Amino acid sequence: MKQKGNPYALSDDNKRYQTYNYYLRHRFGKKVFKVPLNVDLGCPNRDGTKGTGGCIFCSSKLSGDFAGNPCDDIKSQFCDIKEKMHHKWQEGLYIPYFQAGSNTYADVETLKGMYYTALGFENVVGLSVATRADCINEEIADLLGEIAEKTYLTVELGLQSVYDDTAKLCNRCHTYADFLKGFEMLKARGINVCVHIINGLPNETPEMMVNTVKVVGELGIHSMKIHLLHILKGTRLAKMYEKGDYQPMAMEDYVDTVCRQLTTLPQDVIIQRVTGDGAKSDLIAPLWSLKKFCVMNEIDKKMARENLWQGMNYSKEKV
Ligand code: SF4
């Protein structure tokens, strides 16, 4: 039930931003689960096409820490995860989510096979594809456009920051202009784009993090994922941390930054995440991030205490 005094329209509880859960429940009338899959297409930022070594924060699991096992076919991965969810929610609907690595990094026929296979699974109501914007070309955008006409498709683009200096420092091997090129190809075909950003990147101030969200909020996006930078074992970021060259964000600063970011986004953008959760076994810091629900609660509490809500400071002129 909507909390008394909550001025934010797209909520039926205490949330003062539009959660993905709210959106999916209202769109499909039932609980909808994303099922993370891993097809191991690799990444151009690791194989030398764009760069080597990957982004400084990327684990060996290619940012798919909770995705399935790539040795299993996608049907087995999907059924395993669906089975676990089925115990809790017997009436659930599903969105296969190609999560790990860059899931448009293959020829169109391979991608077509993958996407349509996943769409054929039982109780599937959509598809989600995570990738880099520089792994989109016109042919791939046409395929995604064709799928978007048939089902609820979301393409998730990793941007992390609009600042090219940050991208360089993180070895992203793509610029904001590269991102816009891929983004525009998707937008021109009416495809829903979810943009993934990270707070706490090296050398970034909270103002820069808020500005990234402001700039991206102007683009006409479908949804956003806001993550916290995790230091994971075996990453280049872990080496920087050991040498004292990087300090993770404190929880209070993170909560404050996310609240500010939410107020600057348009009211109808769907917020798929307000924090991330790296695998516990691989996480070096910040350890407070393991208390994901606590972080989410702190965001809710601060927004209620200070009477903040998504979109309250959104203004096109400001950017
Ligand atoms: S682009 Fe994604 S998969 Fe590739 S190295 Fe960076 S975080 Fe990892």
Side-chain angles (χ1 to χ4, degrees), residues 42-46 53-55 57-59 62-63 100-102 132 160 171-172:
C43 172
N45 199 18
R46 284 187 173 270
C55 306
F57 45 78
C58 184
S59 70
L62 298 183
S63 295
S102 303
R132 288 167 59 99
Q160 325 315 357
N171 197 42
R172 288 285 298 161

